[in-house]
Amino acid sequence: MLAYAFHALNRLDLVNIETEKFDKIHDLFAAILGNGIKSQIKQGLYREYIEESEDLATLRGKINIPESIHHKIARRLLLKCEHDVLRENTILNQILKTTVMLLLRSDEVEKKYKDILKKEMMYFSGVSELDPQKIPWANVRFHRNNQTYQILIALCNLVLKGMLPSESSGEYRLASFVDDQCISRLYEKFVLEYYRKEFQENINAYPAQIPWDVDDGVTTMLPTMQSDITLSDKSEKKFLIIDTKYYSHTTQTRFSAPKIHSNNLYQIFAYVKNKTTALGKGTRRAPEVSGMLLYAKTSELIQPDVSYKMSGNRIDVRTLDLNCDFQKIRDQLDKIASDFLTSPQNA
């Protein structure tokens, strides 16, 4: 799932990782970061100009007048100078070091992966650690000179968001799993990127905004209809809108009977009907639009697998079993595409 969701992983040196089996997700994180940081070191760690203040015998940069006067009064032949120095102690490198040090302190990471990370940290001696819970993620900016850090920082975010405080004050341990909200986003992105990669020759896959079908053109205060995944064949004669759901319970119980989550069904119905209207305007024959709620399968006895015909549109509710060999996961996703759109390019 990580490999598809973060397709930029293909840019890293992951040849060795592809041939290994990982029983713990933290070993996988450590291996990916180890290879990614090694690749980044070869390119050079990103550096920025940082202002430093020093007592010097000769002028460098600009003089801090008040502090220099204090030196003069104390009969010290020094100037307080402020100047910019190119350093590796940037927020990007600080996030990398903070994440790696957390993995090194964890009992859940195998020694061989820790040894790899320790070697890479030799190049981070001048980089400070951050408080994992106070990292200013909003201040992280990427541009042409540091864009190679983007996937590594995304993985660091995934690791650090999965931390839990330990019983020892001031220490941290890794969570046994990443929180549901983060996994939900990963699940959504995985499904989208799978169709983008495996069906790129015959299917368009993208997250799309769906316009409201309003009679007078007034859309003030209407919420944005943002689909998780919209699939269409290349001729755009068939569309499938998928809304992924990662819940601990795939159904809700009402009067002792399992029911589909009502809000989810209303949502996908609204998406499908508004999309149908938008595509049908000004055309002789409107494209075929279908919808699907795709739940991650749970351990519950009853799993939804049903198809409805609603006002001329097909709406399915299915579950995707992620607790199996990846080939079986692939088969499930391929079947969805073949049922609604077409066959995979490599079939």
Side-chain angles (χ1 to χ4, degrees), residues 238-239 260 265 269 272-273 276 287-291 306-317 339-340:
K238 294 181 179 181
F239 287 81
I260 296 166
L265 195 57
F269 181 79
V272 168
K273 299 312 294 182
T276 300
E288 180 183 324
V289 181
S290 303
V306 62
S307 182
Y308 303 101
K309 197 73 173 178
M310 298 182 177
S311 301
N313 297 92
R314 177 180 173 180
I315 295 179
D316 281 29
V317 182
D339 286 350
F340 288 86

Side-chain angles (χ1 to χ4, degrees), residues 200-246:
Q200 56 184 313
E201 290 187 3
N202 44 25
I203 285 181
N204 299 317
Y206 51 92
Q209 287 191 2
I210 301 169
W212 286 93
D213 175 30
V214 291
D215 296 332
D216 56 3
V218 178
T219 58
T220 305
M221 298 185 71
L222 284 177
T224 300
M225 285 193 289
Q226 178 69 54
S227 67
D228 290 346
I229 302 158
T230 296
L231 305 179
S232 72
D233 59 4
K234 291 296 183 178
S235 63
E236 296 194 335
K237 294 180 180 179
K238 294 181 179 181
F239 287 81
L240 174 62
I241 301 173
I242 301 177
D243 216 39
T244 56
K245 302 295 180 185
Y246 187 90

